[in-house]
Amino acid sequence: MSQSERFPPSRYGQAERHMAESLVELERRILSEEETEECDCKEGMFNGLTRRGLLAGGLALSGAAISGGRARAEAPPGAIEYPVQPDSTKEQGRIILDDGGYGSRSQFENEVRWRYPTASLDSSWSMTPLAAGHGIITPSGLHFERHHGGIPAIDPRTHALILHGMVDQPIRFTMDDLKRLPAVSRMHFIECSGNGLTEWVQPTLKTVQGTHGLTSTSEWTGVRLSTVLEMAGIQDGAAWILAEGADAAVMTRSVPIDKAMDDAILAYAQNGEALRPEQGYPLRLLLPGYEGNTHIKWLRRLEVSDKPFMTREETSKYTDLMPDGSARQFSLEMDAKSVITFPSGAMKLPRAGYYEITGLAWSGRGAISSVEVSADGGETWHEAELEGPILPMCHTRFRLPWTWTGEEAVLQSRAVDDTGYIQPTLQELVEVRGTKSVYHLNAIQSWHIAASGEVTNVHA
Amino acid sequence: MSQSERFPPSRYGQAERHMAESLVELERRILSEEETEECDCKEGMFNGLTRRGLLAGGLALSGAAISGGRARAEAPPGAIEYPVQPDSTKEQGRIILDDGGYGSRSQFENEVRWRYPTASLDSSWSMTPLAAGHGIITPSGLHFERHHGGIPAIDPRTHALILHGMVDQPIRFTMDDLKRLPAVSRMHFIECSGNGLTEWVQPTLKTVQGTHGLTSTSEWTGVRLSTVLEMAGIQDGAAWILAEGADAAVMTRSVPIDKAMDDAILAYAQNGEALRPEQGYPLRLLLPGYEGNTHIKWLRRLEVSDKPFMTREETSKYTDLMPDGSARQFSLEMDAKSVITFPSGAMKLPRAGYYEITGLAWSGRGAISSVEVSADGGETWHEAELEGPILPMCHTRFRLPWTWTGEEAVLQSRAVDDTGYIQPTLQELVEVRGTKSVYHLNAIQSWHIAASGEVTNVHA
């Protein structure tokens, strides 16, 4: 049986079939048979390729003598020029555990969070470099931040959570107490409701980190809030819970008791280790799908009541001014949203040809059921592939193969969640909400591709 | 409707029901109504609890005056003693991005990988602190390591992958080339086949980090190996592929072509960012479910052939000596396995009462279908709860509530995968494989709980 019979292309899905059709456009590094034979100097152990040629940076160098990867021969006319590939096999590597037992990233990696230029450094935010992301997990070191009074340094040995108010028995939990209770781990996004606030009227920030970088996904572990509420015994008439942080802003938000009893988590771990300080170490509230500011960090107190507490963060702040002068309050659930992260703003496509469009979609109301992509500003749509696991209130990665013709294009993505909600255009959103809302901009994002390949943030 | 009608305990599953039954055993911090009233000094804004009492470290301090959390009043007789909780709200926190835009963990966290005391630091391994883990993701900084020639520092701008041998067209891929191809992200464990090698004859290492710490799970992103093989065109008769690393050991393993075309990935990212140097930056082979040494790190070459290459790592090393003197070779798939991470070796349970037993299960052949737990050395078994997402060739977390009576106990876990394979006892495994195998010890682990609460590694 031939290999093409054993591995028919149909086994490998739309992306690969498209890939095969687009081979001409992809700038491959094909080594001709002639080049392969030229450099087969019989000094290596492997068929048709010498060790010397390999180390020098590829067969195009035609078997010329190379010294430790530093010198290189003159390439023959027409050969592809490769950078010299140093030979890492000729040098003993760094020894194990010279990092002290907790590793860090490569010296060649330098993606960082970007701080929005707020006037104050004490109350500010920094954004995840979404264009550099992969899969759905956000590295903990690149999780977006939003602080209202800086990042406290809290010793977990003295930290405690007080649960009181309309309960049969107030309880004080140390961190050790909480860690003895039944735990759950869940992958969830957290999105700041201010994500995109610069983009209501004009396309403003240049990159997807600026327009959408206030959302991140982690695997969170902790105790169900319902577990400790059951221990304390909720009294009749209880309807809201106040959550209070131990930061200098004493962040406080009111949470409906139904949410608290449903899927809320008292989280002490993130991506397999303790919460990061910027994410509320040693304890934060996790309210899957709710706007980020309600996931109170450095959590120290929960008070059960029959009414919301009307804190500053739900009266002055984090409300949405409507066109008629009224304000939406407790707009807690994040609406379905998506964004293309490649290609995205400030990139430049080197040439026409094959590209894989990819991005993220999420909804505060459940799982993503589909994402469609348009390359013509919303006139025609193509269903993207969703990558599993597709989890509720979690980033979902989508992918779609695309051949760019070299002409102008406008790329958009549109998410649909499992409640049937369809991500709106900016025009549709503004018709309902006006432009004074500040928060909860979840409109379709447009990226313009110029004939030069330059990608820019546009309203289309 | 009363709260107990709205939130009947039956909604919250076995763990919580058990929790409710075990309240007496759990050392809770219950604040009596009397104490609550005593300290209600009307100076705070919240019902039944003053700000002063809260900041001082809990209501047990009975409303005594506290200055900045540093001094504390004398506790009344019989009151629970709490450590003083400093008031982090009275001090501005650390400002945003003072970490340079890439965060690190709290100063109070100090879990590290542990190096097995090999004679050489150049060829050694370090192990993941599984007992400190949460969920299924291993933090990249704590992923286990196994190096045969140290960790090379490779510049991704000059790194390339050569694909050649029995293909129609040899191809040289730069990292940029690979990143333009269709990508996939998958959560998979990698386990070193040497995991547990000290434990064949006698229980040897004290902690689960030592007995089982050579397994870790990440979300890996990269290009399907099948994609590049289809681009190159596999010739008839091709049956194996050599994968070669760019480390000083020039690690080489042969991989069956069916595996290469099935689910193998050329991975360049881990947990949402570039691979860590210890994990093969900038490129590693990922062979879901295969023994760890085949996931060639710092991957620089793939050669297609009609037979395996019989490298050192599949002749001298990584073979399993059987009782009859023959050797198992190419024992590539990791058998189903599980281990209880809490409670585990070198811990001490403070007292009888409620605990949540938890651990990890995994299989190189598919998904975990069930995990059973025994507290009596395997006489009786109880089905644990599996936490989703339950993914193939990925760690799966299991949990089971348990009330320790205070008497001696032997805890064990037993995994079953979706092929129906049942994790064997050590005795069953040794009957088939003898004790000279070194690799592939996947037997049931036993933790002895003494009446003192001390947990030790035993063969039971």
Side-chain angles (χ1 to χ4, degrees):
Chain A
M1 185 187 272
S2 77
Q3 292 297 336
S4 58
E5 286 169 326
R6 292 179 68 198
F7 304 114
S10 59
R11 267 182 68 191
Y12 300 104
Q14 187 188 6
E16 283 71 10
R17 285 202 304 280
H18 187 95
M19 188 69 231
E21 290 158 12
S22 304
L23 286 183
V24 176
E25 287 80 19
L26 182 76
E27 191 188 41
R28 294 178 304 156
R29 312 302 194 203
I30 300 291
L31 307 175
S32 73
E33 278 186 31
E34 189 180 319
E35 284 171 333
T36 306
E37 282 169 15
E38 257 179 39
C39 82
D40 186 3
C41 307
K42 314 295 179 205
E43 64 176 36
M45 64 177 281
F46 302 109
N47 312 338
L49 182 74
T50 67
R51 180 160 298 255
R52 199 173 67 178
L54 178 72
L55 299 179
L59 294 174
L61 291 178
S62 304
I66 295 297
S67 165
R70 285 183 203 87
R72 60 184 303 190
E74 206 174 303
I80 298 168
E81 285 276 351
Y82 298 115
V84 173
Q85 184 176 0
D87 186 2
S88 52
T89 68
K90 293 292 177 281
E91 196 177 358
Q92 185 62 38
R94 190 158 60 76
I95 60 169
I96 196 166
L97 287 197
D98 71 349
D99 57 12
Y102 188 84
S104 55
R105 58 186 182 165
S106 160
Q107 60 189 296
F108 299 104
E109 295 297 312
N110 51 22
E111 288 291 336
V112 290
R113 303 187 307 275
W114 174 74
R115 187 179 77 83
Y116 184 81
T118 50
S120 160
L121 286 172
D122 296 320
S123 177
S124 190
W125 55 93
S126 78
M127 310 177 85
T128 295
L130 294 179
H134 304 276
I136 58 173
I137 293 289
T138 306
S140 298
L142 295 173
H143 195 294
F144 86 86
E145 304 166 277
R146 171 71 176 106
H147 311 304
H148 298 72
I151 306 152
I154 297 180
D155 186 336
R157 292 164 299 190
T158 56
H159 189 71
L161 173 69
I162 297 273
L163 169 58
H164 70 118
M166 291 177 65
V167 293
D168 296 334
Q169 283 187 302
I171 310 184
R172 180 183 187 277
F173 297 91
T174 65
M175 290 304 302
D176 282 346
D177 293 335
L178 290 172
K179 288 181 180 176
R180 279 190 62 190
L181 296 176
V184 291
S185 297
R186 299 277 185 268
M187 295 183 199
H188 289 302
F189 78 85
I190 300 179
E191 183 183 15
C192 178
S193 56
N195 203 14
L197 64 82
T198 56
E199 307 300 311
W200 281 100
V201 179
Q202 291 295 328
T204 301
L205 294 176
K206 292 190 190 320
T207 69
V208 69
Q209 182 170 21
T211 59
H212 289 76
L214 290 174
T215 185
S216 305
T217 280
S218 295
E219 184 189 41
W220 304 97
T221 298
V223 181
R224 283 196 189 92
L225 180 48
S226 61
T227 300
V228 300
L229 287 172
E230 287 187 348
M231 288 173 68
I234 306 171
Q235 294 179 346
D236 287 351
W240 291 80
I241 301 188
L242 182 82
E244 178 183 274
D247 56 331
V250 198
M251 268 297 284
T252 42
R253 284 300 314 257
S254 307
V255 181
I257 195 118
D258 285 332
K259 181 68 176 177
M261 292 298 287
D262 180 14
D263 58 0
I265 298 171
L266 304 171
Y268 48 72
Q270 170 187 14
N271 292 338
E273 61 186 344
L275 289 182
R276 288 299 176 89
E278 300 80 12
Q279 299 307 320
Y281 183 87
L283 189 67
R284 87 178 298 170
L285 182 59
L286 201 86
L287 299 171
Y290 271 29
E291 58 182 15
N293 68 79
T294 63
H295 300 233
I296 298 292
K297 300 190 282 191
W298 313 292
L299 183 71
R300 69 171 189 180
R301 192 165 72 86
L302 294 168
E303 180 176 353
V304 180
S305 178
D306 55 358
K307 52 188 179 302
F309 289 75
M310 298 300 175
T311 74
R312 183 189 67 167
E313 318 300 340
E314 51 214 26
T315 50
S316 159
K317 307 293 181 189
Y318 299 117
T319 60
D320 314 314
L321 190 56
M322 293 290 102
D324 67 359
S326 68
R328 289 205 306 161
Q329 199 180 14
F330 300 110
S331 42
L332 298 170
E333 287 174 329
M334 299 305 293
D335 299 308
K337 192 168 174 180
S338 70
V339 68
I340 293 171
T341 56
F342 178 86
S344 61
M347 292 181 180
K348 186 174 179 182
L349 300 183
R351 66 193 64 79
Y354 168 84
Y355 294 95
E356 182 177 75
I357 293 172
T358 187
L360 295 169
W362 61 96
S363 169
R365 295 197 179 83
I368 291 296
S369 56
S370 68
V371 176
E372 293 167 301
V373 169
S374 173
D376 54 14
E379 285 188 33
T380 59
W381 294 92
H382 309 270
E383 186 146 346
E385 182 191 356
L386 302 185
E387 188 156 59
I390 301 170
L391 300 170
M393 287 84 88
C394 187
H395 284 172
T396 295
R397 184 158 291 274
F398 63 87
R399 304 183 188 276
L400 188 73
W402 176 55
T403 299
W404 180 44
T405 60
E407 291 161 0
E408 275 191 276
V410 174
L411 297 184
Q412 299 180 330
S413 66
R414 180 168 70 182
V416 182
D417 73 17
D418 61 10
T419 71
Y421 177 95
I422 302 171
Q423 184 182 5
T425 64
L426 182 60
Q427 190 183 335
E428 289 168 344
L429 189 70
V430 167
E431 275 170 16
V432 176
R433 302 255 187 92
T435 57
K436 306 290 187 196
S437 266
V438 181
Y439 305 109
H440 293 282
L441 192 161
N442 73 315
I444 289 170
Q445 169 71 38
S446 301
W447 302 118
H448 178 262
I449 317 285
S452 66
E454 282 173 10
V455 188
T456 50
N457 178 13
V458 295
H459 281 183
Chain B
M1 185 188 274
S2 76
Q3 292 296 337
S4 57
E5 286 168 326
R6 293 179 68 198
F7 304 113
S10 59
R11 267 184 68 191
Y12 302 104
Q14 185 188 8
E16 284 70 10
R17 285 203 304 279
H18 188 95
M19 187 70 231
E21 291 159 9
S22 306
L23 286 184
V24 177
E25 286 79 18
L26 183 75
E27 189 187 43
R28 292 178 305 157
R29 311 306 195 202
I30 300 292
L31 308 175
S32 73
E33 278 185 32
E34 189 179 320
E35 283 171 333
T36 306
E37 281 170 15
E38 258 180 38
C39 81
D40 186 6
C41 307
K42 312 296 178 204
E43 63 176 37
M45 64 178 281
F46 304 108
N47 311 338
L49 182 73
T50 68
R51 180 160 299 255
R52 199 174 66 178
L54 177 71
L55 299 181
L59 293 173
L61 292 176
S62 306
I66 295 297
S67 164
R70 285 181 204 89
R72 60 185 303 191
E74 206 176 303
I80 298 168
E81 286 277 350
Y82 298 114
V84 174
Q85 185 175 1
D87 186 3
S88 50
T89 68
K90 292 292 177 281
E91 194 176 0
Q92 185 62 36
R94 187 157 62 77
I95 60 168
I96 196 167
L97 287 198
D98 72 349
D99 57 12
Y102 189 85
S104 54
R105 58 186 183 168
S106 160
Q107 61 190 295
F108 298 104
E109 295 297 313
N110 51 21
E111 286 293 336
V112 289
R113 303 187 306 275
W114 174 75
R115 187 178 78 82
Y116 184 81
T118 50
S120 160
L121 286 171
D122 296 320
S123 178
S124 190
W125 57 92
S126 79
M127 312 178 84
T128 295
L130 294 178
H134 305 277
I136 58 174
I137 294 288
T138 307
S140 298
L142 295 175
H143 195 293
F144 85 86
E145 303 167 276
R146 171 70 176 105
H147 311 305
H148 298 73
I151 306 152
I154 296 181
D155 186 336
R157 293 165 298 191
T158 57
H159 189 72
L161 173 68
I162 297 273
L163 170 57
H164 70 119
M166 291 177 64
V167 293
D168 297 333
Q169 284 188 301
I171 310 183
R172 180 182 188 278
F173 296 91
T174 66
M175 289 306 301
D176 283 346
D177 293 336
L178 290 172
K179 288 181 179 174
R180 279 190 63 190
L181 297 176
V184 291
S185 297
R186 300 277 184 268
M187 295 183 200
H188 288 302
F189 78 84
I190 299 179
E191 182 183 16
C192 179
S193 56
N195 204 13
L197 64 82
T198 54
E199 307 299 311
W200 281 99
V201 179
Q202 291 294 328
T204 302
L205 294 176
K206 292 190 189 321
T207 71
V208 69
Q209 182 170 19
T211 58
H212 289 76
L214 290 175
T215 185
S216 304
T217 280
S218 295
E219 184 189 41
W220 306 97
T221 298
V223 181
R224 284 195 188 91
L225 180 48
S226 62
T227 301
V228 301
L229 288 173
E230 286 186 349
M231 289 173 68
I234 307 172
Q235 294 180 346
D236 287 353
W240 291 80
I241 301 187
L242 182 84
E244 179 185 273
D247 56 331
V250 198
M251 268 296 284
T252 42
R253 283 302 311 257
S254 308
V255 181
I257 195 117
D258 286 333
K259 181 66 175 179
M261 292 298 289
D262 180 14
D263 58 1
I265 298 171
L266 303 171
Y268 47 73
Q270 169 188 16
N271 292 338
E273 62 185 344
L275 290 181
R276 289 299 177 87
E278 299 81 11
Q279 299 306 320
Y281 181 86
L283 189 67
R284 87 178 298 168
L285 182 59
L286 201 88
L287 298 172
Y290 272 28
E291 59 182 13
N293 68 78
T294 64
H295 300 232
I296 297 292
K297 299 191 282 192
W298 314 292
L299 183 70
R300 68 171 189 179
R301 191 166 73 85
L302 294 168
E303 180 178 352
V304 180
S305 177
D306 55 357
K307 52 189 178 301
F309 289 74
M310 298 299 175
T311 74
R312 184 189 66 169
E313 317 300 340
E314 50 215 25
T315 49
S316 159
K317 308 291 180 189
Y318 299 119
T319 59
D320 313 314
L321 189 57
M322 293 290 101
D324 67 359
S326 68
R328 289 206 307 160
Q329 198 180 15
F330 300 110
S331 43
L332 299 170
E333 288 173 326
M334 299 303 294
D335 299 309
K337 192 167 174 181
S338 70
V339 68
I340 293 170
T341 56
F342 179 85
S344 60
M347 293 180 179
K348 184 174 179 182
L349 300 183
R351 66 194 63 78
Y354 168 84
Y355 295 94
E356 183 177 74
I357 293 172
T358 186
L360 296 169
W362 61 97
S363 168
R365 296 197 178 81
I368 291 296
S369 56
S370 69
V371 175
E372 294 168 301
V373 169
S374 173
D376 54 15
E379 284 187 35
T380 60
W381 294 91
H382 309 271
E383 186 145 346
E385 183 190 355
L386 302 186
E387 188 158 58
I390 301 170
L391 301 170
M393 286 84 88
C394 186
H395 284 173
T396 295
R397 182 156 295 273
F398 63 87
R399 303 181 188 279
L400 188 72
W402 176 55
T403 298
W404 179 45
T405 60
E407 291 161 1
E408 274 192 277
V410 174
L411 297 184
Q412 300 180 330
S413 66
R414 179 169 71 181
V416 181
D417 72 17
D418 60 10
T419 71
Y421 176 95
I422 302 170
Q423 183 182 5
T425 63
L426 183 60
Q427 188 183 339
E428 288 167 345
L429 189 69
V430 167
E431 275 170 15
V432 176
R433 301 254 187 92
T435 58
K436 306 291 186 194
S437 267
V438 181
Y439 305 108
H440 293 281
L441 192 160
N442 72 317
I444 290 169
Q445 169 71 38
S446 301
W447 300 118
H448 179 261
I449 317 285
S452 65
E454 283 173 9
V455 188
T456 49
N457 178 14
V458 295
H459 281 185

